[in-house]
Amino acid sequence: MDTCAEGELRSPGELRSARWLGRRDLKTFGHLSRLKQMGYAEEDFEGRPVIAVVNTWSDINPCHTHFRERVQDVKRGVLQAGGFPLELPALALAENFQKPSTMMYRNLLAMETEELLRSYPVDGVVLMGGCDKTTPGLLMGAASMDLPAVFLPAGPMMRGCWRGQTLGSGSDAWKHWDEYRAGNIGECELKAVEGGIARTPGHCMTMGTASTMTAVAEAMGFSLPGASSIPAVMAEHGRMAAACGRTVVTAVAAGRRPSAILGADSVHNGVVTALALGGSTNAVIHVIAMARRVGIPVGAEVFEELAERVPLLADVRPAGTHLMEDFYDAGGLPALLESLRDLLRPDAPTVNGRTLGENIAGARVHLPAVIRPREEPVSTVPALRVLRGNLCPDGALIKPSAMDPGKMRHTGRALVFDDYTELKRSIDDPATEVDEDTVLVLRGAGPVGGPGMPEWGMLPLPKRLLEKGVRDLVRISDARMSGTSYGTCVLHVAPESAVGGPLAALRTRDLVDLDVRAGTLDARVPAEEWEGRLAEVRAKRFDGDRGYLRLYRAHVGQADAGCDFDFLAGVGGPEPEIH
Ligand code: FES
């Protein structure tokens, strides 16, 4: 018989969910009756931690198709450990389909995650993501809500194939598209590549943003050891999903919150990981945003400083030759990290209660061609360089490991496009003046202008240069670039042109000087004239915006601040009243 008085907790009350489920009052009566409506008995939930399973499965996201079944593995693990799992669907952020860009909606997923956790009776959470922006979106939201959280990475898809030739996500799409435009392959071949490049569930299997960010999440302590390297369709992925369920229940019992995990050391480990993988430049924006959620003022310089010391060891496309399933067979992320132990902060805590150093102890590299020894890195060129100059006073990025080494120092005349539509319309126009020294410039593609900073940074090359065999030009934009892209692409120019940044003052035929080693990017325009042009630049007006886009443009930060909303920095916020 229950003897507690009205309003008192029926269970000890350490659990946050007890405010919804553990009192003797009318509200709890309503909550319990509705759980029973769904077929649950009191034995299912009474006294048990409620574990949200935030699932980004959707019919529109090919990278997460297996999440529909995988969530059952997570629930099995939660039940095994004595928790009560509840699946909460969230935005899928399907990289290929969502326009204008998933980046615009990353902050919406972060908000949704935070508010799902805040507004429902939740004690801990398993976050199911992997396709590009889902990883940072989920983690940013969970970090701000600060409930115990385990990240379950979707895992990469298996390799693609065409006529016996291995195909990798993204990189081979761009490559074969250029060959098609150059007339080297026909319609039939292109269709066959289209059907062979993505053949199983899972995220892109090159070292794009997905593979980079899931590995960064693991190195930062939010995933179980090795989780990010397991291909989506492997049986081990199901076992790992169940382990995530068990782990989060123990994390709730131990009160192991994101704020205890996400600190300067875990950020450092995440950056080292991104660099050693030759990871996506998108990681810079996402790590900055995640760190700022917990008050760590990180900038791109952290990446640059570590890039001088961290060797690129993962021989995975686009910087290398292999794919993620090879990386998994080679020992996966724990093996890579163990070989970099002296560069890591191994005492950083992780979600399973052990330190990162304990998690990776003894991991061995099985295929040194895939995870290279320290003395034989994939590249000795730093993975990332921050550029500054009169075109990018708040910084811009370039990925030296993915560019033509012959363009490390380059001067060329600018060919400026105001937006992507103009670029597409004009790039193959015979009247457009362009040669192999031209610097292609795209503006209006930043966080506000894009909007959402689309991955347009690998500007398409003019067809007539492709036909002449040219495969790279210096390209500059305030956009981002897919991690699977390559080329001499200056990205993330800040401040962007749409808010009045200096890219807006550049004109076609201006000389542009790029010096990657010196870290400079400048328009060679006399200072007085440049100042005069800057004085005339105005922020663009966007009068027709409504809804989320209006909120987004009003509050999004620039690339150097992680493109987060100004009102989302930090942790906490009031708990909902339950009346
Ligand atoms: Fe989902 Fe590439 S499209 S990770």
Side-chain angles (χ1 to χ4, degrees), residues 79-152:
L79 291 167
Q80 285 168 354
F84 176 51
L86 290 175
E87 182 181 356
L88 305 179
L91 277 175
L93 301 191
E95 185 64 27
N96 275 311
F97 292 99
Q98 193 154 28
K99 307 300 177 198
S101 78
T102 51
M103 185 64 191
M104 188 174 119
Y105 293 100
R106 181 202 65 178
N107 295 350
L108 187 59
L109 175 61
M111 288 173 71
E112 184 186 21
T113 303
E114 181 177 347
E115 299 309 325
L116 278 174
L117 301 181
R118 190 192 320 283
S119 57
Y120 286 126
V122 171
D123 300 299
V125 58
V126 175
L127 306 160
M128 299 177 69
C131 186
D132 283 25
K133 314 305 177 290
T134 55
T135 303
L138 290 165
L139 286 170
M140 287 159 67
S144 284
M145 189 51 206
D146 204 24
L147 291 179
V150 178
F151 179 70
L152 163 61

Side-chain angles (χ1 to χ4, degrees), residues 186-478:
E187 192 73 34
C188 279
E189 285 92 343
L190 193 71
K191 282 280 164 203
V193 172
E194 198 175 278
I197 198 165
R199 306 188 295 178
T200 73
H203 62 65
C204 292
M205 75 320 233
T206 41
M207 194 52 72
T209 305
S211 301
T212 306
M213 285 311 300
T214 52
V216 166
E218 179 179 329
M220 288 175 106
F222 285 103
S223 294
L224 296 176
S228 63
S229 311
I230 306 170
V233 295
M234 292 271 180
E236 190 185 351
H237 197 273
R239 297 196 293 273
M240 182 270 295
C244 288
R246 291 191 295 273
T247 300
V248 73
V249 176
T250 61
V252 169
R256 201 173 298 125
R257 293 169 179 270
S259 54
I261 294 171
L262 184 52
D265 287 351
S266 68
V267 169
H268 172 95
N269 292 335
V271 174
V272 169
T273 301
L275 294 167
L277 292 171
S280 165
T281 43
N282 282 321
V284 178
I285 292 179
H286 299 318
V287 169
I288 290 172
M290 287 161 63
R292 286 176 177 235
R293 286 295 179 111
V294 292
I296 304 172
V298 173
E301 288 71 19
V302 178
F303 281 80
E304 184 176 45
E305 190 258 314
L306 283 166
E308 297 292 328
R309 294 188 280 136
V310 177
L312 200 177
L313 298 184
D315 194 330
V316 176
R317 299 182 191 190
T321 52
H322 299 91
L323 294 175
M324 283 304 291
E325 64 184 273
D326 307 308
F327 185 73
Y328 167 70
D329 289 340
L333 191 65
L336 176 98
L337 295 182
E338 180 64 307
S339 68
L340 290 167
R341 179 177 281 267
D342 57 305
L343 295 174
L344 294 168
R345 297 190 181 158
D347 293 335
T350 76
V351 75
N352 66 0
R354 300 165 57 160
T355 64
L356 181 71
E358 288 168 340
N359 280 343
I360 62 175
R364 292 283 171 269
V365 174
H366 308 302
L367 300 171
V370 182
I371 300 177
R372 301 279 197 91
R374 292 279 284 270
E375 56 284 5
E376 286 177 47
V378 176
S379 167
T380 51
V381 179
L384 199 88
R385 198 86 177 100
V386 178
L387 305 173
R388 290 192 193 275
N390 65 8
L391 280 174
C392 51
D394 292 339
L397 298 183
I398 193 162
K399 198 173 173 182
S401 54
M403 62 175 273
D404 174 358
K407 296 193 185 302
M408 294 291 273
R409 200 163 174 198
H410 182 88
T411 297
R413 296 212 176 269
L415 173 58
V416 182
F417 302 97
D418 280 334
D419 54 44
Y420 203 69
T421 309
E422 186 195 335
L423 165 72
K424 278 173 69 178
R425 193 177 51 236
S426 314
I427 193 75
D428 289 329
D429 185 336
T432 302
E433 289 175 31
V434 64
D435 61 29
E436 43 268 63
D437 290 327
T438 300
V439 175
L440 300 181
V441 179
L442 172 66
R443 59 189 171 206
V448 172
M453 232 182 153
E455 291 185 336
W456 293 335
M458 190 175 78
L459 277 58
L461 302 182
K463 193 173 174 190
R464 79 188 106 130
L465 291 186
L466 285 171
E467 286 166 349
K468 281 170 66 181
V470 175
R471 290 293 182 269
D472 197 7
L473 289 182
V474 173
R475 290 162 267 185
I476 300 172
S477 72
D478 41 20

Side-chain angles (χ1 to χ4, degrees), residues 554-566:
H555 293 282
V556 71
Q558 290 292 291
D560 58 308
C563 300
D564 203 359
F565 289 155
D566 48 12

